[in-house]
Amino acid sequence: MMRRKNISYLYIFWVFLLGCEDPFEVPSSSSNAGILVVEGRIGDQETLIQLSRTANLDSFSIKPELNANVQIENELGNVVGQLNEVEAGTYLLSTNLTINEKYRVRIETNSQDIYLSDFATLLSTPSISDLSLKVDSLGSLEIQLSTEDPTNNTRYYLWDYEETYEYSSPFISLFEYDGDTIIARDRNGDRQITRCWKTNFSTDILLQSSIQFEADVISKKPIVSYSLSETLKFNRAYSILVNQYALSSDEYDFWTLLEKNSESLGTLFDPQPSQISSNLQCTSDPQKRVIGYVGSSSKTQMRLLVSNEDIPKKLRNLEVVELFCEVGVISLAREEEIMRLMADEEYVPIELIPADGSIPNISYSTKFCVDCREQPPQGTNIKPSFWF
């Protein structure tokens, strides 16, 4: 989603800066609204296309393009797949397409405009050779990728990733309120609220070419970099799933230009951004602009799991984010007061505390302090299937 925003925002900024020569006139806001933004990739097993529209220049926002008719055509012009809208503006096709065959995307919008991408050969992407962790003595951490194509046919590469990390609540809730009474909490299922997992998706443009080398080899490409003193992602356990795509030289040029423009958009005194080309056209009205690029290649993946024990001992951090929380205590004998306290789910029981009498006390605190789903970064308490 963020990469699609980069394309539309960069286009808006490019329009804004286009007139840097004196005198400068801000272009009409309305003239830049409603431009179709297309991002996606034709794949051998899955094709994902995201469609949106730019809003007014002064709002710097985009909105999903709904209810479009999105199809994949082969070089003969035959429809070989119909994409389904799986969420607002996101269209998906799960079907097998043939490597080295040529395909294009056909988009018909609600306004009955037709957009076609150029025919592109479905490229085969080589496997990722290695995904490894590097940590230096100062606590700088990198996850590095290596890949190679023995046939020397790929040369241009693009990567994205999703990273997942575990974090914990400062309190371990051993009990819960079931609407009637305090009961023991199942800490092995989805009722536990102490351990949570947060997943983030890449937003940076990660690409590289081996065209300058004799061998088609990418060695120790940094995918993510962190300072262990400034991140909590490696406090307990961490996972990164990296996706690799082969690119054509034209698509590589597209992403390279987009990357340069994203780096140069600082002030009016920076180098002016270049206009970003597209491999899409509106055939029903050639005057209508379109932003984006549809690639065509298979995808290869590799996952790396990192536990806290993989971090050098002197650099490990097991601290839980400190929250300003108060803990209350109430006797289990005071059932009506417990009911009033827990009824609106603002408070969560924690653990039993011995009392002078035969009935113990129960400690409690606010849901924000006990439930890891309520705490930044607001993840999920459902353990991922690939977890340790």
Side-chain angles (χ1 to χ4, degrees):
M1 182 71 73
M2 181 61 70
R3 187 173 292 158
R4 178 177 61 187
K5 290 182 180 179
N6 284 343
I7 295 172
S8 56
Y9 289 155
L10 281 170
Y11 182 84
I12 293 172
F13 274 115
W14 171 75
V15 172
F16 184 82
L17 296 177
L18 188 59
C20 277
E21 295 182 2
D22 190 32
F24 174 74
E25 295 182 0
V26 177
S28 168
S29 172
S30 60
S31 67
N32 302 297
I35 301 171
L36 185 67
V37 181
V38 183
E39 184 192 356
R41 179 167 300 280
I42 299 170
D44 60 330
Q45 298 181 35
E46 179 180 278
T47 296
L48 182 69
I49 303 294
Q50 294 175 311
L51 304 179
S52 61
R53 295 276 183 179
T54 57
N56 290 336
L57 179 62
D58 54 4
S59 70
F60 296 104
S61 63
I62 59 176
K63 56 183 181 180
E65 178 73 4
L66 307 178
N67 304 317
N69 183 25
V70 184
Q71 298 174 326
I72 304 298
E73 295 181 344
N74 63 17
E75 199 170 11
L76 299 176
N78 298 323
V79 175
V80 294
Q82 176 76 47
L83 281 70
N84 297 314
E85 189 171 10
V86 293
E87 59 181 72
T90 299
Y91 299 82
L92 178 67
L93 169 68
S94 296
T95 191
N96 293 328
L97 298 178
T98 305
I99 296 293
N100 293 326
E101 294 291 326
K102 290 186 176 182
Y103 300 96
R104 71 180 178 187
V105 172
R106 182 184 188 276
I107 301 163
E108 182 175 358
T109 64
N110 262 334
S111 58
Q112 296 183 330
D113 283 317
I114 305 296
Y115 295 83
L116 294 176
S117 68
D118 297 337
F119 281 109
T121 301
L122 184 56
L123 303 175
S124 176
T125 301
S127 300
I128 299 172
S129 306
D130 183 59
L131 197 60
S132 59
L133 174 72
K134 178 184 177 183
V135 185
D136 67 18
S137 59
L138 299 178
S140 294
L141 179 149
E142 271 190 356
I143 292 175
Q144 302 174 335
L145 176 146
S146 297
T147 187
E148 63 178 314
D149 182 359
T151 67
N152 292 334
N153 287 329
T154 303
R155 294 298 182 179
Y156 303 100
Y157 298 85
L158 176 73
W159 298 275
D160 59 34
Y161 62 83
E162 60 182 72
E163 54 179 359
T164 303
Y165 61 96
E166 180 183 335
Y167 67 97
S168 301
S169 167
F171 299 110
I172 300 177
S173 175
L174 303 178
F175 295 86
E176 62 179 316
Y177 182 70
D178 69 351
D180 183 52
T181 186
I182 300 292
I183 61 173
R185 182 183 295 276
D186 180 3
R187 295 180 59 207
N188 295 317
D190 60 5
R191 303 301 301 172
Q192 71 84 22
I193 54 174
T194 302
R195 298 172 67 199
C196 277
W197 293 265
K198 178 64 175 180
T199 297
N200 297 324
F201 297 90
S202 56
T203 59
D204 296 333
I205 298 172
L206 298 169
L207 70 163
Q208 190 166 331
S209 169
S210 67
I211 198 69
Q212 68 273 33
F213 305 123
E214 182 177 350
D216 192 354
V217 175
I218 304 294
S219 180
K220 297 183 179 179
K221 165 74 176 179
I223 300 299
V224 296
S225 301
Y226 292 103
S227 171
L228 288 172
S229 63
E230 298 175 358
T231 183
L232 302 175
K233 293 181 179 181
F234 298 88
N235 282 16
R236 297 191 173 276
Y238 172 93
S239 161
I240 184 168
L241 177 66
V242 181
N243 302 311
Q244 178 169 279
Y245 310 92
L247 304 183
S248 67
S249 59
D250 287 343
E251 187 182 5
Y252 181 80
D253 290 342
F254 169 85
W255 288 112
T256 300
L257 186 56
L258 185 62
E259 181 183 36
K260 289 179 179 178
N261 283 355
S262 65
E263 292 172 352
S264 67
L265 291 174
T267 72
L268 292 176
F269 300 100
D270 289 333
Q272 292 184 30
S274 304
Q275 184 174 6
I276 299 172
S277 61
S278 174
N279 69 339
L280 296 123
Q281 308 83 33
C282 181
T283 58
S284 57
D285 185 352
Q287 299 302 312
K288 289 192 174 181
R289 291 170 289 178
V290 57
I291 305 169
Y293 200 102
V294 176
S296 183
S297 68
S298 62
K299 174 177 70 175
T300 57
Q301 297 179 312
M302 182 174 284
R303 184 185 298 278
L304 177 67
L305 297 170
V306 180
S307 74
N308 192 259
E309 294 181 356
D310 296 322
I311 307 298
K313 192 171 183 179
K314 65 179 181 179
L315 300 174
R316 292 178 194 170
N317 184 3
L318 288 175
E319 294 182 3
V320 176
V321 177
E322 183 177 351
L323 301 174
F324 297 96
C325 299
E326 295 184 357
V327 178
V329 177
I330 188 172
S331 171
L332 285 179
R334 299 162 66 178
E335 295 182 0
E336 291 186 1
E337 188 172 343
I338 289 175
M339 185 177 297
R340 287 195 300 271
L341 190 68
M342 303 292 175
D344 60 0
E345 298 185 350
E346 180 181 351
Y347 294 98
V348 178
I350 301 174
E351 61 182 349
L352 293 177
I353 298 176
D356 294 337
S358 58
I359 300 179
N361 297 323
I362 187 84
S363 63
Y364 63 91
S365 188
T366 62
K367 188 175 184 180
F368 175 80
C369 289
V370 181
D371 191 339
C372 58
R373 296 170 297 181
E374 301 293 319
Q375 301 156 12
Q378 294 184 323
T380 176
N381 66 333
I382 306 299
K383 183 178 179 180
S385 59
F386 54 82
W387 210 245
F388 297 76

